[in-house]
Amino acid sequence: MSIQKHKNEQLNVNCMVLTISDTRTEDTDKSGDLIVALLKGAGHHVQMKEIIHDEQTAIERMIDAGCNHPEVEVIITNGGTGIAGRDVTIETIKPLFDKEITGFGELFRSLSYYEDIGSAALLSRAIAGVIENTAVFAVPGSSGAVKLAMNNLILPEVSHVVKEIKKDMT
């Protein structure tokens, strides 16, 4: 399957990378580091990178910090998207959306099924949306999921997403 980038001019966007985990540290945050490397490799800028515990108040506080940072246009989270009791990323972020980008989760699950993990894709709760004119993508914390989401969905469209968010702003 051939993935096509949007034909609009590619903008370099300013991002925040947020790892949500009760166990990851700066030394073990392979998925957060991978997101940073892929963003930088595509010419984008990482303004903030944080690791926080999978707790509602911590997630809300960091999403708010990213949305209110004058140079952050995109927040990419990884982790806390599972179905275990401790996984509260989706329950915390989804109610904050001004608009949900439903196609992101749908496409991620389809790609995960066909290209990565098969029927286990039904457990994925990846989502994306817009909060206060900031694009937010929440992906699972595995390196495979991050690579799939970044290479097939986020990187090809992130400039277009930011352009669409900004087009009506004065």
Side-chain angles (χ1 to χ4, degrees):
M1 178 163 81
S2 162
I3 304 294
Q4 258 189 344
K5 283 187 176 183
H6 199 273
K7 292 179 175 39
N8 281 346
E9 175 185 331
Q10 293 297 107
L11 307 170
N12 295 332
V13 300
N14 295 308
C15 304
M16 172 183 177
V17 176
L18 181 60
T19 295
I20 301 168
S21 172
D22 292 330
T23 58
R24 302 268 166 91
T25 66
E26 287 295 330
D27 293 332
T28 62
D29 185 21
K30 292 191 309 187
S31 292
D33 292 342
L34 178 59
I35 294 170
V36 169
L38 290 169
L39 286 167
K40 288 182 175 181
H44 302 297
H45 310 285
V46 177
Q47 301 296 329
M48 302 171 69
K49 180 183 181 289
E50 300 289 335
I51 301 170
I52 60 170
H53 287 286
D54 198 347
E55 296 171 355
Q56 183 177 353
T57 55
I59 297 167
E60 286 173 344
R61 187 170 44 249
M62 288 311 303
I63 294 293
D64 186 58
C67 289
N68 288 303
H69 190 289
E71 294 185 25
V72 171
E73 300 165 298
V74 176
I75 299 170
I76 303 172
T77 75
N78 75 93
T81 64
I83 60 171
R86 286 283 305 147
D87 295 322
V88 298
T89 298
I90 304 306
E91 289 75 15
T92 303
I93 293 175
K94 191 171 185 174
L96 301 175
F97 285 161
D98 299 316
K99 294 187 184 244
E100 186 172 358
I101 305 171
T102 53
F104 175 78
E106 295 164 355
L107 286 169
F108 179 80
R109 283 180 282 283
S110 178
L111 287 168
S112 294
Y113 178 82
Y114 288 107
E115 296 185 19
D116 194 19
I117 58 173
S119 61
L122 69 85
L123 296 171
S124 174
R125 300 189 311 139
I127 59 171
V130 180
I131 303 170
E132 299 175 20
N133 298 312
T134 303
V136 179
F137 297 90
V139 301
S142 75
S143 296
V146 164
K147 202 175 300 183
L148 184 77
M150 292 297 293
N151 289 331
N152 292 302
L153 299 171
I154 297 172
L155 291 175
E157 289 298 324
V158 72
S159 296
H160 182 214
V161 169
V162 170
K163 183 178 178 184
E164 287 297 309
I165 291 169
K166 290 182 170 188
K167 78 178 181 183
D168 294 334
M169 295 172 60
T170 55

